[in-house]
Amino acid sequence: MKQIISIGWSSLPVVGLTAFFTGAALALQIYSGGSRLNAESAVPSIVAIGFLRELGPVLCGLMVAGRVSSAIAAELATMKVTEQIDALTTLATDPMKYLVAPRIIITTLFLPVLTAIGNIIGIYGGYLVSIERLGFNPSMYIESTLKYIEPGDILSSLVKAAVFGLIISTMGCFFGFKASRGALGVGRATTNAVVSASILVLASNYLLTEIMFKS
């Protein structure tokens, strides 16, 4: 329950705000670019598809990597420096089961939930800007959005998010356990965890996109 609150619930505000403003900016950019091709009507479908397939899981993954991966690495590295992990081993408690497994399981399971919420908020951000600023008809916007969304778009978003969650928590745990002694080691472990998780999220996103949407 502690990890659910720390990783899942506490990450919701940053994910929601990032998704909302990205969706709003995306609608403005698509409308501006589409006006050059007389394709302004494509705003609803492109915002929805773009968020479900790419922006939603990637943005959520990067935001959670910055927040959760760093927190996991810092916490575990501090425990190692202060010899708390050694104490657990002395007390016949497996650190992998007690410290690593809950973090990996919760991050892997809850990142798809955060991504689903972020997708809804991001699409709503595009909807709000399109209605209030660009003059779209609300019912026509919703109809156009739902018309072009396919189940595969939603599924791919959730699968990507689960993989990203596994990567984020694994990097945090790995660098936390590998931290060297001292405060410098804690800071280095935190930095390495965030950088590695972010790079692997982007790299795995390309590989998953290649697999899922290869024509």
Side-chain angles (χ1 to χ4, degrees):
M1 290 303 298
K2 178 182 177 182
Q3 297 307 320
I4 289 174
I5 294 172
S6 175
I7 294 172
W9 177 256
S10 299
S11 298
L12 187 56
V14 66
V15 170
L17 287 172
T18 302
F20 179 83
F21 288 113
T22 301
L26 181 63
L28 292 175
Q29 290 283 18
I30 293 173
Y31 184 85
S32 176
S35 62
R36 303 176 187 178
L37 305 172
N38 296 320
E40 298 92 336
S41 60
V43 170
S45 57
I46 295 179
V47 169
I49 295 173
F51 236 94
L52 289 173
R53 287 191 176 189
E54 288 295 324
L55 287 175
V58 171
L59 286 175
C60 184
L62 292 177
M63 291 299 103
V64 173
R67 185 185 177 279
V68 172
S69 187
S70 60
I72 291 175
E75 185 177 1
L76 296 183
T78 302
M79 292 182 71
K80 182 177 181 182
V81 169
T82 56
E83 299 182 349
Q84 295 181 54
I85 294 178
D86 295 335
L88 287 174
T89 304
T90 303
L91 295 172
T93 301
D94 187 352
M96 291 296 172
K97 292 182 179 180
Y98 185 74
L99 298 174
V100 175
R103 288 165 172 80
I104 291 180
I105 292 171
I106 295 302
T107 309
T108 304
L109 292 179
F110 269 78
L111 201 64
V113 177
L114 290 172
T115 299
I117 296 173
N119 288 340
I120 295 171
I121 295 175
I123 293 173
Y124 176 74
Y127 165 82
L128 194 62
V129 168
S130 298
I131 300 305
E132 298 295 333
R133 299 280 296 168
L134 305 179
F136 278 77
N137 179 275
S139 59
M140 293 294 292
Y141 189 98
I142 295 174
E143 181 182 348
S144 181
T145 297
L146 297 176
K147 180 180 179 181
Y148 292 99
I149 292 178
E150 298 180 355
D153 300 329
I154 301 174
L155 180 62
S156 68
S157 181
L158 300 180
V159 170
K160 284 184 176 183
V163 174
F164 297 164
L166 178 62
I167 291 171
I168 290 166
S169 54
T170 301
M171 289 297 99
C173 293
F174 175 79
F175 286 103
F177 269 84
K178 294 296 182 181
S180 58
R181 302 292 180 179
L184 179 62
V186 175
R188 188 171 297 166
T190 304
T191 301
N192 290 338
V194 174
V195 172
S196 300
S198 300
I199 292 174
L200 288 176
V201 163
L202 295 173
S204 62
N205 176 64
Y206 169 76
L207 293 177
L208 290 170
T209 301
E210 181 77 17
I211 294 171
M212 293 177 180
F213 301 107
K214 187 175 182 180
S215 57

